[in-house]
Amino acid sequence: MWTPDELKGRARFSLKAFYLKSVVVALILHLIVSGFNSGSSGSKGDADIKERIKDFFTGRFVGFYAFVVGLTAMMVVIGVVVSLLIKIMLLNPLEIGCKRYFLDASDGDASLSNIAFAFQNGYTNIAAAIFLRDISIVLWSLLLVIPGIIKMYEYRMIPYILAEDPYLTFTEARDRSSIMMQGEKMNAFLLDLSFIGWFILSGLTKGLVGTFFVNPYKEFTDAELYKTLCTKAD
């Protein structure tokens, strides 16, 4: 059995030992996960464009409206495709590299070169596996919110598994993660919940506390959780 306090205690020790490097890597990882999602959700500029197109539709220039709608739709499709390619080919491998950093740093080897780990080891396999993980979670989420959340926790260890063995297929990494998280999903949820106060404080400080403490602290804690649960899959 493990406890949140036990994992977080080891995480604080690692964070103290490699503070500056860990802040940088956690910031990169945070931007990969949250920055990409927020950036792909649209902007005020997009809303203004839609309003103007709507104005054309209600006016006399229906033909011009059709042209603008077609051009806008094409640009949206191109934007989605480009964003998806960036996610698959760049951001997903970087995510694995960051996870590799926190795993190695928790063992005393904090090398920033680990960020590029996936580009030098099983790049194609990692890019495909993380893409399939994301697609799988999205499809489960389309059923209901709860199944999607359950799958997120079931697949939680996939990035760490690939960070240690980059040549595993998605199916192999998924099955291993499922075994590791069997009976641990609620415990992992409670572990996440134990950070709620820190996340609120981070929000109140415009992300400063998150950048300089909470994010690397949470990443080290998750790495410790993976190392603890590894014995279940052996």
Side-chain angles (χ1 to χ4, degrees):
M1 293 294 294
W2 56 272
T3 65
D5 288 342
E6 176 187 352
L7 300 185
K8 292 163 79 173
R10 295 202 295 265
R12 287 193 296 271
F13 179 83
S14 296
L15 178 57
K16 183 178 179 181
F18 307 109
Y19 178 73
L20 290 178
K21 290 182 179 180
S22 301
V23 167
V24 171
V25 179
L27 178 59
I28 294 172
L29 188 54
H30 177 72
L31 292 175
I32 289 171
V33 177
S34 63
F36 178 83
N37 291 336
S38 61
S40 61
S41 62
S43 64
K44 187 177 183 301
D46 296 331
D48 292 340
I49 292 174
K50 292 176 183 177
E51 287 300 320
R52 294 187 182 186
I53 291 175
K54 183 178 179 182
D55 291 340
F56 277 115
F57 180 69
T58 57
R60 297 167 57 187
F61 304 103
V62 178
F64 184 71
Y65 165 78
F67 168 76
V68 172
V69 169
L71 181 62
T72 301
M74 183 177 68
M75 295 302 294
V76 168
V77 171
I78 293 174
V80 169
V81 171
V82 171
S83 296
L84 188 59
L85 289 175
I86 291 174
K87 176 85 163 64
I88 295 171
M89 301 176 67
L90 177 63
L91 302 185
N92 286 349
L94 281 174
E95 177 188 353
I96 301 304
C98 291
K99 298 297 186 182
R100 174 79 181 201
Y101 166 84
F102 283 104
L103 282 176
D104 284 359
S106 66
D107 288 330
D109 180 18
S111 174
L112 289 177
S113 64
N114 280 327
I115 298 176
F117 171 81
F119 296 100
Q120 303 164 346
N121 302 274
Y123 169 75
T124 303
N125 184 69
I126 286 176
I130 297 300
F131 172 69
L132 290 174
R133 177 206 64 178
D134 293 342
I135 289 296
S136 181
I137 291 175
V138 168
L139 291 178
W140 277 101
S141 298
L142 290 177
L143 298 177
L144 284 172
V145 175
I146 299 301
I149 294 175
I150 291 175
K151 286 300 175 180
M152 284 178 61
Y153 276 93
E154 183 177 333
Y155 298 166
R156 182 172 179 144
M157 297 302 157
I158 289 177
Y160 297 99
I161 293 169
L162 292 173
E164 285 202 319
D165 192 342
Y167 297 99
L168 288 178
T169 65
F170 165 70
T171 301
E172 293 169 332
R174 179 199 62 193
D175 292 345
R176 184 178 177 88
S177 180
S178 297
I179 293 173
M180 295 174 69
M181 293 302 296
Q182 188 172 1
E184 302 287 356
K185 297 181 188 66
M186 181 55 68
N187 293 330
F189 172 75
L190 294 176
L191 176 63
D192 291 340
L193 199 61
S194 71
F195 283 89
I196 190 67
W198 285 113
F199 291 142
I200 292 174
L201 183 59
S202 178
L204 293 175
T205 59
K206 304 297 184 180
L208 288 177
V209 172
T211 298
F212 292 103
F213 181 72
V214 182
N215 294 339
Y217 181 23
K218 181 68 166 58
E219 291 300 329
F220 271 123
T221 302
D222 288 344
E224 290 293 343
L225 175 62
Y226 169 76
K227 289 162 60 179
T228 299
L229 297 181
C230 269
T231 55
K232 294 187 64 174
D234 292 337

